[in-house]
Amino acid sequence: MPALPLVPLPAETLPGGAAGRGADGLELDASTRIDADPEAAGTEAWLRAELGAATGLPLPPGRGEDARLRLTVDPDAGLGPEGYRLIADDEGAVVVGHDPAGVFYGAQTLRQLLPSAAYRRSALGGRVWRLPSVRITDRPRFGWRGCMLDVARHFMPKHGVLRFIDLMAMHKLNVLHLHLTDDQGWRVEIRRYPRLTEVGAWRAESQVGAGTPKTFDGRPHGGFYTREDIREIVAYAAARHITVVPEVDVPGHSQAAIAAYPELGEGGQVGVGREWGIIETVLNTTDETIAFYRGVFDEIMELFPSPYICVGGDECPKGQWRASETAQARIAEEGLGDEDALQSWFIRRFDAYFASKGRRLLGWDEILEGGLAEGATVLSWRGTKGGIAAAQAGHDVIMCPTATSYLDYRQSDGPDEPIPVGTLLTVADVYGSEPVPPELAEQGAEHVLGAQVNIWTEHMDSPRTVDFMAFPRLSAFAEVAWSSHERSFEEFLPRLEAHLERLDAVGVEYRPLDGPHPWQRRPGVEGRP
């Protein structure tokens, strides 16, 4: 039976020792050394830094029998992509990975087998660091185990993003979908268009809550990542076997860009968006705007080596296009049927452009409207219908339906939930989700690359609130995306409760299972349940 991201299943523990040499397991002490293949050197450095800080042990390099922890890559071990085998007994521990990622996930499991203090940043003293005798063979179910983090609505400083990457790695997630632009902010430096951040990264104020009439805080908000920040984020994630997928939203959700460069829009000068929801402002469909965004994506592709580039494509209002002479002329010139087809035409321009650069276009399921671009991969968020249609047509899909994947949705029906929006989505709901719809059981399941959860931050104005909304639901999702065994929430719950001790050690301000702490509430701020 495979191990799970939170802790290996009890059935994998071998009371007689992994090799029959004793039941006590391996005690780590000042004499413990680590040996690693060159391909596992990154994991060796990571493990030494993390465990060294928590335990106070030096964990120096060793060779052969001198080393009690060994990390090795063996693509012929029959483990499969990202798979690993962990064997520990009183003689030592070895992690064998199919690839470097597999070694890293095996090292993550090794850390999970130690006391929760193994997640602290400094040694507390008085601890015995013992690995139980185990033999674990494990591999993930899906190759895409993702989380979308919206840094456009509320900016998350770089150190917060790096911390979030560590939390993803802790849960064996491997895709950070970074939502970098929206109506309310542009968060990435583009050298050839400096006003995108000079103007588009800052708004005058922000809507508070989701009540009617709308209220605002009167407080300017903004920020952006420099090119060097992005390179650091991407490299930091790659060292933890996480791919950062950038999203630059077009042709809707683009008011921040239009505020910086009004010629991109259909309606003249606008400010950076300050309210939530769907805003009517859209990009125009002129050749000049297409060229502008090709320039943007050229720099995005330079900064992000990800095979996928996300163009959004969601919630694009068509009112301005219906009233626009240039949009209507484009529809006539290209022989398009309507504004939905115009959006498809717009998206196809970038599908072809990315393909010419060796990349693939990723978009929310609205890109199905008017015809799907040939090489596009679909994020199915409005339920599963779009993903089913795309997969059955031979397109790759990522499943992230709102009912089970939107971590901005309220976590209970209780009156203490801060700014409750959306439908109810509990930890149990997330854990009970199934990424592959039954409609794809006979045809199309092979096109489900995996699943992700989405953290939209309209109502998350700090990393503390992101912690509260993401955890422990993200922990539940990690098992859904990783494991293929039959899941039981009753079996999961006590393991989750033990895992909360690790989150405490890391410093995650998660939502307690019995409801929010007093300081996590937002009394008087209306939501929209």
Side-chain angles (χ1 to χ4, degrees):
M1 188 176 291
L4 303 179
L6 297 195
V7 69
L9 290 176
E12 292 295 334
T13 301
L14 306 179
R21 288 192 292 263
D24 292 340
L26 174 65
E27 182 177 338
L28 306 183
D29 55 29
S31 68
T32 303
R33 296 176 178 269
I34 305 177
D35 184 16
D37 291 348
E39 290 178 279
T43 296
E44 178 189 13
W46 172 85
L47 189 62
R48 180 175 293 110
E50 296 294 325
L51 285 190
T55 64
L57 300 175
L59 302 175
R63 291 294 178 264
E65 294 186 3
D66 187 40
R68 303 189 74 192
L69 296 179
R70 294 187 59 246
L71 309 174
T72 183
V73 175
D74 184 358
D76 298 320
L79 298 169
E82 300 182 282
Y84 67 89
R85 180 173 294 117
L86 167 61
I87 302 172
D89 60 24
D90 56 355
E91 295 293 318
V94 59
V95 175
V96 180
H98 173 85
D99 44 32
V103 176
F104 182 72
Y105 297 132
Q108 288 282 5
T109 295
L110 184 151
R111 189 185 191 188
Q112 290 169 326
L113 290 167
L114 293 168
S116 60
Y119 289 85
R120 295 193 176 273
R121 295 294 184 185
S122 184
L124 303 182
R127 299 292 196 281
V128 174
W129 304 101
R130 188 181 302 280
L131 286 170
S133 293
V134 293
R135 181 188 296 269
I136 299 166
T137 301
D138 194 15
R139 62 182 289 185
R141 178 185 180 189
F142 294 110
W144 186 296
R145 305 179 302 281
C147 180
M148 190 285 301
L149 180 62
D150 170 16
V151 295
R153 271 51 175 270
H154 278 102
F155 178 67
M156 181 179 285
K158 182 191 67 178
H159 63 82
V161 177
L162 299 179
R163 172 181 176 270
F164 193 81
I165 288 169
D166 278 329
L167 293 174
M168 289 182 61
M170 175 181 173
H171 290 82
K172 302 189 177 89
L173 302 178
N174 67 348
V175 178
L176 173 59
H177 172 173
L178 206 54
H179 185 79
L180 290 164
T181 75
D182 215 294
D183 296 309
Q184 298 83 11
W186 186 285
R187 307 296 179 211
V188 56
E189 178 187 19
I190 303 296
R191 284 184 303 191
R192 70 188 74 183
Y193 305 125
R195 286 178 59 82
L196 287 173
T197 47
E198 290 172 358
V199 175
W202 314 95
R203 61 176 181 262
E205 59 183 352
S206 307
Q207 183 179 341
V208 178
T212 303
K214 296 177 180 178
T215 60
F216 298 86
D217 62 7
R219 180 183 181 186
H221 178 83
F224 67 93
Y225 308 110
T226 67
R227 292 169 58 84
E228 292 306 300
D229 289 338
I230 291 295
R231 288 192 177 99
E232 181 182 356
I233 288 168
V234 168
Y236 191 85
R240 288 147 182 80
H241 300 279
I242 293 172
T243 299
V244 183
V245 175
E247 179 177 354
V248 173
D249 216 335
V250 296
H253 287 296
S254 299
Q255 186 161 315
I258 296 169
Y261 293 93
E263 64 271 21
L264 299 174
E266 292 280 10
Q269 183 67 56
V270 295
V272 176
R274 61 193 184 100
E275 69 275 10
W276 316 132
I278 300 175
I279 296 176
E280 291 298 313
T281 306
V282 297
L283 297 173
N284 64 47
T285 58
T286 64
D287 291 340
E288 291 76 14
T289 293
I290 297 291
F292 180 98
Y293 272 91
R294 282 181 175 173
V296 168
F297 283 119
D298 281 344
E299 294 197 28
I300 291 294
M301 286 186 280
E302 179 188 345
L303 293 170
F304 294 89
S306 163
Y308 295 90
I309 306 294
C310 186
V311 300
D314 58 310
E315 297 179 330
C316 178
K318 307 299 193 297
Q320 288 190 340
W321 283 351
R322 294 188 187 98
S324 165
E325 292 183 5
T326 58
Q328 293 304 310
R330 178 68 79 182
I331 289 173
E333 175 186 338
E334 300 292 338
L336 305 174
D338 55 19
E339 289 75 21
D340 285 342
L342 179 60
Q343 177 174 336
S344 177
W345 174 88
F346 191 99
I347 297 295
R348 285 173 185 269
R349 304 283 74 72
F350 295 103
D351 180 63
Y353 191 64
F354 294 164
S356 74
K357 305 289 186 178
R359 307 295 185 96
R360 295 188 63 182
L361 182 143
L362 177 69
W364 304 100
D365 59 41
E366 285 93 334
I367 66 174
L368 288 161
E369 298 169 0
L372 186 60
E374 182 178 351
T377 297
V378 174
L379 291 155
S380 187
W381 73 278
R382 296 179 300 175
T384 59
K385 185 177 179 181
I388 292 168
Q392 290 178 338
H395 290 272
D396 290 339
V397 300
I398 313 298
M399 301 305 296
C400 52
T402 56
T404 58
S405 307
Y406 270 47
L407 301 190
D408 55 319
Y409 283 9
R410 70 186 192 273
Q411 302 185 65
S412 82
D413 284 326
D416 294 332
E417 291 300 319
I419 319 181
V421 298
T423 55
L424 177 63
L425 181 57
T426 66
V427 176
D429 294 329
V430 174
Y431 191 73
S433 64
E434 169 49 50
V436 180
E439 294 88 341
L440 297 179
E442 295 185 4
Q443 178 190 351
E446 69 278 8
H447 287 292
V448 179
L449 301 182
Q452 74 176 34
V453 287
N454 300 322
I455 302 174
W456 300 105
T457 62
E458 290 94 333
H459 309 296
M460 303 180 210
D461 58 3
S462 73
R464 297 183 75 181
T465 54
V466 170
D467 275 9
F468 175 86
M469 297 302 292
F471 294 98
R473 292 186 294 184
L474 190 69
S475 305
F477 168 75
E479 287 209 359
V480 171
W482 181 277
S483 65
S484 56
H485 77 292
E486 184 175 345
R487 293 186 297 274
S488 162
F489 187 72
E490 288 71 26
E491 182 273 332
F492 171 72
L493 185 57
R495 292 189 295 107
L496 176 61
E497 290 171 339
H499 183 65
L500 297 181
E501 296 180 8
R502 301 187 188 106
L503 297 184
D504 286 329
V506 172
V508 176
E509 295 192 63
Y510 58 85
R511 179 191 184 275
L513 296 177
D514 58 357
H517 293 297
W519 58 87
Q520 294 173 322
R521 302 167 188 166
R522 291 292 297 273
V525 181
E526 291 186 50
R528 189 182 59 253

